[in-house]
Amino acid sequence: MSPFNPISTILDQNKLEGSNYVDWRRILDIVLTAEEYKFVLHEECPLKPNEQSSDEDKLAYQKWRKADEMARCYIMASMSNVLQHQHQAMLSAFEFLENLKQMFGDQGQSAKQIAMRTLMNTKMVEGTPVRDHVLKMIGLLNELEVLGAEIDNDSQVEMILQSLPDSFQQFCLNYNMNKMSLSLAQLLNELQAAETLVKKASSMALNVEKGSTSKPQGGQKKKKAHKAKAITP
């Protein structure tokens, strides 16, 4: 890998040997995402263009082929020599990873169960920043995706909403009643806005409560003062 690419050095330092499959797969996912090659793992190769194909179709095909070639290079370069030799005949990055999943899938299955358990047990503590909590949840969801779990966007959003404290109950109610559909990034922004409103409402309620409790005390002082005057000869 090129020494001028700081992202690729992550894989250089974490070559796949076999026992480190889960960590390697997670790091590979980060690298392919950063380099914008990850889409070849989820999208099929467009049909090979012919003379009648549009320029757009030709560009789409070339883009996919180039990205797949680069993804395969990253995968191959981050393997041990033994694994490289075993996978030389693989024709696509997807085929590479599917074969590796079959070889080391037991590790991934165990890690997937742990990640899912952690995700379901993670709850936001009242008063802590919603941003930190949502980013943690997104990280766990990404880890599950890397490990092969298939969770659609609506289910991911629902998992995050279920993990929120009571102060976000109105937000969750509005979300479901209005049948909203947000990406995880959009959900994070909306929750941060809701958090600001919750804090303002809480602050106003606290001020009202302080005001209501201070009035009787003032009234009592006045009554005592008035009573004292009445006793004075």
Short mmCIF file of all heavy atoms in Angstrom, two decimals, residues 215-231:
data_model
loop_
_atom_site.label_atom_id
_atom_site.label_comp_id
_atom_site.label_asym_id
_atom_site.label_seq_id
_atom_site.Cartn_x
_atom_site.Cartn_y
_atom_site.Cartn_z
N LYS A 215 -43.01 32.73 47.42
CA LYS A 215 -44.08 33.66 47.77
C LYS A 215 -44.64 33.44 49.17
O LYS A 215 -44.79 34.37 49.94
CB LYS A 215 -45.20 33.57 46.73
CG LYS A 215 -44.83 34.22 45.41
CD LYS A 215 -45.97 34.12 44.41
CE LYS A 215 -45.58 34.78 43.09
NZ LYS A 215 -46.67 34.67 42.09
N PRO A 216 -44.96 32.21 49.56
CA PRO A 216 -45.50 32.00 50.91
C PRO A 216 -44.53 32.46 51.99
O PRO A 216 -44.94 32.98 53.00
CB PRO A 216 -45.72 30.49 50.97
CG PRO A 216 -45.89 30.08 49.55
CD PRO A 216 -44.98 30.99 48.78
N GLN A 217 -43.24 32.26 51.75
CA GLN A 217 -42.25 32.67 52.74
C GLN A 217 -42.29 34.18 52.93
O GLN A 217 -42.23 34.69 54.03
CB GLN A 217 -40.85 32.23 52.30
CG GLN A 217 -40.69 30.71 52.29
CD GLN A 217 -39.33 30.30 51.78
OE1 GLN A 217 -38.55 31.14 51.36
NE2 GLN A 217 -39.06 29.01 51.81
N GLY A 218 -42.42 34.90 51.80
CA GLY A 218 -42.50 36.36 51.89
C GLY A 218 -43.75 36.79 52.63
O GLY A 218 -43.75 37.71 53.44
N GLY A 219 -44.87 36.10 52.35
CA GLY A 219 -46.13 36.43 53.00
C GLY A 219 -46.07 36.19 54.49
O GLY A 219 -46.58 36.96 55.29
N GLN A 220 -45.40 35.13 54.90
CA GLN A 220 -45.26 34.81 56.31
C GLN A 220 -44.46 35.87 57.03
O GLN A 220 -44.78 36.28 58.14
CB GLN A 220 -44.60 33.45 56.48
CG GLN A 220 -45.51 32.29 56.06
CD GLN A 220 -44.79 30.97 56.14
OE1 GLN A 220 -43.63 30.92 56.53
NE2 GLN A 220 -45.48 29.91 55.75
N LYS A 221 -43.41 36.37 56.34
CA LYS A 221 -42.58 37.40 56.96
C LYS A 221 -43.39 38.67 57.19
O LYS A 221 -43.28 39.33 58.20
CB LYS A 221 -41.37 37.70 56.08
CG LYS A 221 -40.34 36.59 56.08
CD LYS A 221 -39.15 36.96 55.22
CE LYS A 221 -38.10 35.85 55.23
NZ LYS A 221 -36.94 36.19 54.38
N LYS A 222 -44.24 39.02 56.18
CA LYS A 222 -45.05 40.22 56.32
C LYS A 222 -46.04 40.08 57.46
O LYS A 222 -46.28 41.00 58.22
CB LYS A 222 -45.79 40.49 55.01
CG LYS A 222 -44.87 40.98 53.90
CD LYS A 222 -45.66 41.26 52.63
CE LYS A 222 -44.74 41.76 51.53
NZ LYS A 222 -45.49 42.02 50.28
N LYS A 223 -46.65 38.88 57.57
CA LYS A 223 -47.61 38.65 58.63
C LYS A 223 -46.96 38.77 59.99
O LYS A 223 -47.50 39.35 60.92
CB LYS A 223 -48.25 37.27 58.48
CG LYS A 223 -49.24 37.20 57.34
CD LYS A 223 -49.86 35.81 57.26
CE LYS A 223 -50.86 35.74 56.11
NZ LYS A 223 -51.46 34.38 56.02
N LYS A 224 -45.74 38.21 60.11
CA LYS A 224 -45.02 38.27 61.37
C LYS A 224 -44.68 39.71 61.73
O LYS A 224 -44.80 40.13 62.87
CB LYS A 224 -43.75 37.44 61.30
CG LYS A 224 -44.01 35.94 61.30
CD LYS A 224 -42.71 35.16 61.24
CE LYS A 224 -42.97 33.66 61.25
NZ LYS A 224 -41.70 32.90 61.17
N ALA A 225 -44.26 40.47 60.70
CA ALA A 225 -43.91 41.87 60.94
C ALA A 225 -45.14 42.65 61.37
O ALA A 225 -45.09 43.49 62.28
CB ALA A 225 -43.30 42.47 59.67
N HIS A 226 -46.29 42.40 60.74
CA HIS A 226 -47.53 43.09 61.07
C HIS A 226 -47.98 42.75 62.49
O HIS A 226 -48.42 43.60 63.25
CB HIS A 226 -48.61 42.69 60.06
CG HIS A 226 -49.93 43.37 60.31
ND1 HIS A 226 -50.13 44.71 60.06
CD2 HIS A 226 -51.10 42.87 60.80
CE1 HIS A 226 -51.37 45.02 60.37
NE2 HIS A 226 -51.98 43.91 60.83
N LYS A 227 -47.81 41.50 62.86
CA LYS A 227 -48.19 41.05 64.18
C LYS A 227 -47.31 41.69 65.24
O LYS A 227 -47.76 42.06 66.32
CB LYS A 227 -48.09 39.52 64.24
CG LYS A 227 -48.72 38.91 65.47
CD LYS A 227 -48.73 37.40 65.35
CE LYS A 227 -49.44 36.78 66.54
NZ LYS A 227 -49.46 35.31 66.45
N ALA A 228 -46.04 41.83 64.90
CA ALA A 228 -45.11 42.44 65.85
C ALA A 228 -45.48 43.89 66.12
O ALA A 228 -45.40 44.38 67.24
CB ALA A 228 -43.68 42.35 65.31
N LYS A 229 -45.92 44.61 65.09
CA LYS A 229 -46.32 46.00 65.26
C LYS A 229 -47.55 46.11 66.16
O LYS A 229 -47.69 47.01 66.96
CB LYS A 229 -46.63 46.62 63.90
CG LYS A 229 -45.40 46.95 63.09
CD LYS A 229 -45.79 47.62 61.78
CE LYS A 229 -44.56 47.97 60.97
NZ LYS A 229 -44.92 48.63 59.70
N ALA A 230 -48.43 45.18 66.00
CA ALA A 230 -49.67 45.21 66.79
C ALA A 230 -49.39 45.01 68.27
O ALA A 230 -50.07 45.55 69.13
CB ALA A 230 -50.63 44.14 66.29
N ILE A 231 -48.36 44.27 68.62
CA ILE A 231 -48.03 43.98 70.02
C ILE A 231 -47.29 45.15 70.65
O ILE A 231 -47.37 45.39 71.84
CB ILE A 231 -47.19 42.70 70.12
CG1 ILE A 231 -48.02 41.52 69.61
CG2 ILE A 231 -46.70 42.44 71.52
CD1 ILE A 231 -47.25 40.23 69.53
#
